[in-house]
Amino acid sequence: NAGVMQNPRHLVRRRGQEARLRCSPMKGHSHVYWYRQLPEEGLKFMVYLQKENIIDESGMPKERFSAEFPKEGPSILRIQQVVRGDSAAYFCASSPVTATNYGYTFGSGTRLTVV
Amino acid sequence: AQTVTQSQPEMSVQEAETVTLSCTYDTSENNYYLFWYKQPPSRQMILVIRQEAYKQQNATENRFSVNFQKAAKSFSLKISDSQLGDTAMYFCAFMKQSGSRLTFGEGTQLTVNP
């Protein structure tokens, strides 16, 4: 039973390019969460999605960032026109139902470096 | 809004000894969940232990236990018989009973020395 799979593990983008981060939840999990970890900081919530629905995007920057979790396929976190400040580790997590009872399972993260 | 504070950026302990990591939080909620996550150099976030606020009994998982003081809003993690593999960043986290987002502290880097 594979865990939460994130790819790529490392991603390098030049300023102004687009970054696409993918997350495949654990089998049977229909809830996905994205977090961002800036250097030397804790994880910060970005967005919570269920299949085809964004439930809570209150942690997402208003511009350039978007997320989706289609009926088929992985969840995608998309960052348009990346800037140096977007350099961070982006973590995805999943749960079978709302996560309140036991937390959730995290992936290994994607480290985005903007040069 | 909830906040989580970890006042110890770094700690070290000798192998086989016991260490306690501190965490305090602020919330107006009465029912909630608290977690400790471990992040080794591999960067994987690993759940160490969880506590429901409505339970008075402190959670225990093998060598890991918590001291949950609800009135003081304190949630410390005790690691007994420390092992080299315990070297990692440890994050304390809060979740409302009615919500799904985790609020993390800034982390404590624990180093276990041989």
Side-chain angles (χ1 to χ4, degrees), chain A residues 11-71:
Chain A
L11 181 62
V12 179
R13 283 288 177 266
R14 295 187 182 279
R15 281 179 293 171
Q17 290 184 321
E18 178 179 288
R20 280 180 165 251
L21 288 62
R22 288 179 291 278
C23 169
S24 296
M26 284 185 71
K27 187 175 181 180
H29 287 196
S30 58
H31 298 239
V32 164
Y33 315 81
W34 285 93
Y35 285 77
R36 177 165 65 176
Q37 185 178 29
L38 294 169
E40 310 300 325
E41 294 187 10
L43 279 71
K44 298 287 194 296
F45 170 81
M46 298 182 75
V47 62
Y48 162 35
L49 311 103
Q50 293 178 27
K51 287 281 187 182
E52 300 184 282
N53 285 305
I54 297 175
I55 307 301
D56 179 359
E57 57 180 348
S58 58
M60 287 273 274
K62 294 289 185 279
E63 297 179 350
R64 302 186 298 107
F65 285 73
S66 62
E68 63 177 9
F69 188 18
K71 187 176 180 181

Side-chain angles (χ1 to χ4, degrees), chain B residues 82-98:
Chain B
S82 297
Q83 300 175 0
L84 296 179
D86 295 334
T87 292
M89 183 73 84
Y90 286 81
F91 291 99
C92 178
F94 172 101
M95 181 185 286
K96 292 195 299 185
Q97 185 181 43
S98 59

Side-chain angles (χ1 to χ4, degrees), chain B:
Chain B
Q2 286 65 233
T3 59
V4 178
T5 302
Q6 294 177 249
S7 58
Q8 307 152 312
E10 296 179 358
M11 291 194 72
S12 61
V13 64
Q14 291 298 122
E15 195 174 5
E17 293 188 347
T18 295
V19 64
T20 298
L21 309 184
S22 301
C23 172
T24 59
Y25 57 94
D26 189 25
T27 184
S28 58
E29 303 284 324
N30 188 47
N31 293 316
Y32 47 87
Y33 301 88
L34 294 164
F35 306 84
W36 279 97
Y37 279 89
K38 166 184 176 180
Q39 186 179 43
S42 67
R43 217 171 59 215
Q44 177 78 45
M45 291 291 287
I46 302 165
L47 178 63
V48 175
I49 199 165
R50 61 183 287 269
Q51 173 83 40
E52 294 104 331
Y54 57 85
K55 288 188 177 179
Q56 292 187 343
Q57 185 173 5
N58 289 323
T60 298
E61 288 288 340
N62 300 314
R63 298 183 295 107
F64 298 88
S65 61
V66 298
N67 183 5
F68 173 49
Q69 302 289 329
K70 190 173 183 180
K73 295 180 181 174
S74 171
F75 183 60
S76 60
L77 174 70
K78 185 171 85 171
I79 306 174
S80 304
D81 185 25
S82 297
Q83 300 175 0
L84 296 179
D86 295 334
T87 292
M89 183 73 84
Y90 286 81
F91 291 99
C92 178
F94 172 101
M95 181 185 286
K96 292 195 299 185
Q97 185 181 43
S98 59
S100 290
R101 86 161 61 181
L102 282 167
T103 300
F104 285 89
E106 296 300 305
T108 296
Q109 175 64 48
L110 175 68
T111 302
V112 180
N113 298 309

